[in-house]
Amino acid sequence: MTDTLTPVLTDDWDAERSWTLATYESRGGYGALKKALTMPQDDIITAVKDSGLRGRGGAGFPTGMKWSFIPQDNPKPKYLVVNADESEPGTCKDIPLMMATPHTLVEGVIISSFAIRANHAFIYIRGEVLHVIRRVQAAVAEAYAAGHLGKNIHGSGYDLDVVVHAGAGAYICGEETALLEGLEGRRGQPRLRPPFPAVAGLYASPTVINNVESIASVPSIIANGADWFASMGTEKSKGYGIFSLSGHVERPGQYEAPLGITLRELIDLAGGMRHGHRLKFWTPGGSSTPLLTDEHLDVPLDFEAMAGVGTMLGTRAIQLFDETTCVVRAVLRWTEFYKHESCGKCTPCREGTWWLVQTLAALEQGQGSEGDLDLLLDQCENILGRSFCALGDGATSPISSSIQFFRDEYLAHLTGGGCPFDPAASTVWAPSLTKAGA
Amino acid sequence: MTQATTLTETTISELREIAGRYPEKRSGLLPMLHLVQSVQGRVTPEGIEICAEILDISAAEVSGVATFYTMYKRKPVGDYHVGVCTNTLCAVMGGDEIFARLKQHLDVGNDETTPEEQGKKSITLEHVECNAACDYAPVMMVNWEFMDNQTPDSAVAVVDDLRAGKEVRSTRGPRLCTWREAERVLAGFNDGLADEGPAAGPASLAGVEIAGERGWTAPVAQASGATGTEPETKEGAVAEADTSRAESETVQEKSQ
Ligand SMILES: Cc1cc2nc3c(=O)[nH]c(=O)nc-3n(C[C@H](O)[C@H](O)[C@H](O)COP(=O)(O)O)c2cc1C
Ligand code: SF4
Ligand code: FES
């Protein structure tokens, strides 16, 4: 039986000066790199395939398979790009990882680049996290000084340069092709696919793009073996992952567990919902994944089971809201976010998110009619599947799911002529328990 | 502070240095614009011209990029940039109240700067989107350093100290530098402060601490053969991947 929590990536976060090379190496760091450099590159790709690791950036595509798509007969240079844009509302795992143990990521970058035969790698970090950028810059500098990066790494004949690149504020740059545009010094607007980045990515060359947590998981797979990784998790969702709990729970934070843990177990570990309150709705994997309710406490948090209840595992960004929270207010705010972040390239998303905000804002103030709920769903239908990238699709998730579960609450805004909730009751400093509930 | 210094030879050679980090120099544009802001307090027409010249592209192209990203400012930014997260989770947890209180206290609107005052530092106030710190809600950022678990009172105390020129520390980072100094780090010039501040805040350690108390660990590694449950084909993988997002990203070109 696997333990309930299985700290691997988070295991060193409480170590003294965990961000330094000295601490990382004293705990076995860069051992996997030494091993990898003696392996045939295809064996590394096979190990990652066999481990069952699926992308931790939201979509869950098998990482080893993605690597194997890189056409090795293509004479162009190959690139590895790490997606450290972490901007999906609720998602807060990659940032603490890079702050506490940036060398885990750097080691993963070197092994992964070696496997796909890239001599250049880029870490694209959102610009709004200054100290994280410092720590990753410093870790890369330390890795060069120790001979883990640069020319002829540890006598292997393999060369690798890594550039730490700071973004400049744009959620859409988390979308992989928009990220490439940003990295090429352009506006971050998604590219048409095909061609896929594996064939024509950065500078039209074969490129692998992976999330921070995906790449940081690679050293553990090389060090401990594919079977070790696959011994955790569920049948098709293997391994461990960081679950991020935020909101109205006693102890918000990062909980690293095998995929398939349930929300009930996680809330239990986190000391329950805040005292005197109960769970009302939650996002399983960020705001772009349809909301769930307290009916879903026992659904395994893996890719398949989440799809089975009409949502997505996403980035395991679990935002928890109790009964003091107005779902219409929450959804309106997310919708304003999507409208603000829409890159403007395609009409369904650019115009659609604008209309969604108009309709929702009126409803929140108690204006409109019941027919506006159908109008909203209609607008969502015109965006979902018709937008150029998944940002537009994501914008519809909170709306359609909240209408599905909380139609009456929308209607209460209309009958009551406004919002029936007191926002002060939801705050951290609200006088607790006695005032529970609306 | 609001006077735009002209770009000196030193800055211009640093801009060239940034472009030189990349296989294709245009990739340097985002960090180059950060450097321009660190010197001039905003993206100036002069900065745009010089970036364009170094990269052999038109000023209009540089402008197009500068206006796309929210961290680039055309109006001068104050000594400190204060961002209050008002995305849903932080807003609900109290971010809306914090933002309202700061607007009132500083007497500015969103994306506005306090007027210059003798002996006082200036502050630009803005509401920001989710800053990947939701487990520390409500979150405030000063020059993009974390100020975790704020209340209206603590936020007011922070901005008062900043205006008075007192030293303020990030809750998960170093003593706060100025916004311009921060922009220089974003341009890739490290300021040597990486070793300041903790490895992680308390929320980041929630799971590790519980695992430690209960003696929970990941399994011990042992050697053996393949597991054999992974999809063998691209189509199988796409079918298993869980979203239309995965599908649109991974349905591979048939030509391969
Ligand atoms: C609007 C949008 C935002 C995204 N943001 C991120 C992000 O911040 N980080 C990330 O790793 N993936 C993000 N993704 C997913 C990426 O496009 C891509 O699937 C991922 O980086 C692939 O890495 P993985 O296979 O390791 O998960 C985003 C996708 C969309 C559509
Ligand atoms: S869906 Fe939205 S973000 Fe994506 S390309 Fe269209 S306008 Fe841009
Ligand atoms: S919602 Fe504020 S940091 Fe995520």
Side-chain angles (χ1 to χ4, degrees), chain A residues 13 27 71 74 100 106 108 124 137 141 155 160 187 218 221 224 266 285 292 334 350 356 364 378:
Chain A
W13 290 8
R27 297 170 72 109
N74 186 321
V106 175
Y124 186 111
Q137 286 172 343
L160 178 65
R187 297 163 74 90
V218 170
I221 293 170
N224 302 317
L266 282 169
L292 296 176
W334 279 317
R350 185 187 60 239
L356 291 174
E364 202 227 3
D378 213 50

Side-chain angles (χ1 to χ4, degrees), chain B residues 129-151:
Chain B
E129 298 301 351
C130 176
N131 221 96
C134 323
D135 46 346
Y136 296 95
V139 173
M140 181 164 96
M141 307 298 295
V142 178
N143 300 337
W144 309 114
E145 304 274 23
F146 291 111
M147 300 300 289
D148 299 324
N149 299 115
Q150 293 298 304
T151 64

Side-chain angles (χ1 to χ4, degrees), chain B residues 103-117:
Chain B
K103 278 198 289 196
Q104 183 198 30
H105 183 74
L106 295 171
D107 194 21
V108 293
N110 182 40
D111 205 12
E112 288 179 6
T113 304
T114 56
E116 297 239 19
E117 222 180 296

Side-chain angles (χ1 to χ4, degrees), chain B residues 132-256:
Chain B
C134 323
D135 46 346
Y136 296 95
V139 173
M140 181 164 96
M141 307 298 295
V142 178
N143 300 337
W144 309 114
E145 304 274 23
F146 291 111
M147 300 300 289
D148 299 324
N149 299 115
Q150 293 298 304
T151 64
D153 289 345
S154 70
V156 163
V158 167
V159 298
D160 282 350
D161 284 351
L162 289 172
R163 294 191 79 197
K166 291 194 196 148
E167 182 179 293
V168 180
R169 291 194 161 262
S170 157
T171 53
R172 265 189 298 156
R175 74 193 135 78
L176 297 175
C177 56
T178 65
W179 179 76
R180 291 190 185 200
E181 288 165 343
E183 282 291 316
R184 188 170 167 82
V185 175
L186 298 182
F189 298 98
N190 200 283
D191 57 8
L193 297 181
D195 285 343
E196 288 196 24
S204 309
L205 299 175
V208 189
E209 279 177 17
I210 294 172
E213 284 158 19
R214 307 196 187 178
W216 288 339
T217 61
V220 179
Q222 30 184 251
S224 71
T227 52
T229 53
E230 292 65 46
E232 295 298 323
T233 63
K234 294 169 187 177
E235 288 71 23
V238 169
E240 277 181 19
D242 101 314
T243 63
S244 58
R245 176 183 293 181
E247 203 160 311
S248 70
E249 282 173 13
T250 48
V251 176
Q252 279 293 313
E253 42 300 301
K254 304 288 177 208
S255 62
Q256 262 188 78

Side-chain angles (χ1 to χ4, degrees), chain A residues 55-57 66 83 85-87 174-176 210-211 214 390, chain B residues 249:
Chain A
R56 300 301 194 227
K66 187 184 272 192
N83 189 341
D85 192 58
E86 189 158 74
S87 306
E175 195 282 337
E176 56 184 19
N210 274 128
N211 170 257
S214 310
Chain B
E249 282 173 13

Side-chain angles (χ1 to χ4, degrees), chain A residues 89-90 319, chain B residues 85 87-90 129-134 139:
Chain A
Q319 307 173 86
Chain B
C85 177
N87 202 297
T88 300
L89 190 113
C90 280
E129 298 301 351
C130 176
N131 221 96
C134 323
V139 173

